[in-house]
């Protein structure tokens, strides 16, 4: 019975070691293939996906899916900021043109 417990403990340790080694080895290299999490297309890792992996991301998107995601992110931003920015540009230009007119 004790022999069995020792065997199980050894098996668990070996499994943990193998799993740890595997997760270390799974760090993507430039050019390694992966399946896009958005559309499932096989693409190669680039600097963007590798740096995303280093930041903790484990699902990657191809260039077009990433572009769509970025567009969604920018469209989510509130337009109030943009309105303020427009005012910031338009008001001084009106002031400057009125200076030249009068
Ligand atoms: Zn994709």
């Amino acid at each position: 019975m004790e022999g069995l417990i020792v065997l199980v403990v050894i098996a668990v340790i070996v499994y943990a070691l193998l799993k740890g080694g595997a997760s270390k080895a799974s760090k993507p290299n430039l050019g390694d293939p992966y399946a896009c999490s958005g559309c499932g297309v096989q693409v190669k890792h680039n600097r963007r996906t590798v740096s995303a992996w280093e930041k903790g991301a484990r699902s990657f998107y191809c260039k077009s899916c990433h572009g769509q995601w970025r567009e969604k992110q920018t469209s989510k931003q509130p337009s109030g900021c943009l309105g303020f920015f427009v005012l910031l540009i338009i008001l001084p230009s009106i002031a400057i043109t009125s200076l030249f007119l009068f």
Side-chain angles (χ1 to χ4, degrees):
M1 192 61 192
E2 270 179 25
L4 186 72
I5 293 170
V6 169
L7 258 178
V8 167
V9 167
I10 289 172
V12 166
I13 290 170
V14 167
Y15 176 76
L17 282 176
L18 281 176
K19 222 187 159 197
S23 74
K24 257 185 201 169
S26 74
K27 188 197 173 203
N29 293 310
L30 290 172
D32 280 357
Y34 70 95
C36 168
S37 300
C39 59
V41 160
Q42 277 274 328
V43 270
K44 287 177 179 175
H45 276 288
N46 54 33
R47 250 183 274 165
R48 174 179 62 79
T49 57
V50 170
S51 80
W53 190 93
E54 283 163 354
K55 286 170 191 163
R58 290 297 178 270
S59 56
F60 308 103
Y61 294 89
C62 70
K63 206 177 174 185
S64 68
C65 287
H66 179 68
Q68 284 170 16
W69 176 81
R70 283 190 61 156
E71 268 175 38
K72 264 189 212 164
Q73 296 304 304
T74 48
S75 66
K76 268 185 200 167
Q77 281 174 359
S79 57
C81 184
L82 184 74
F84 178 73
F85 193 68
V86 167
L87 266 181
L88 212 71
I89 289 171
I90 287 177
L91 280 182
S93 31
I94 290 172
I96 288 167
T97 34
S98 58
L99 271 178
F100 281 110
L101 284 175
F102 303 107

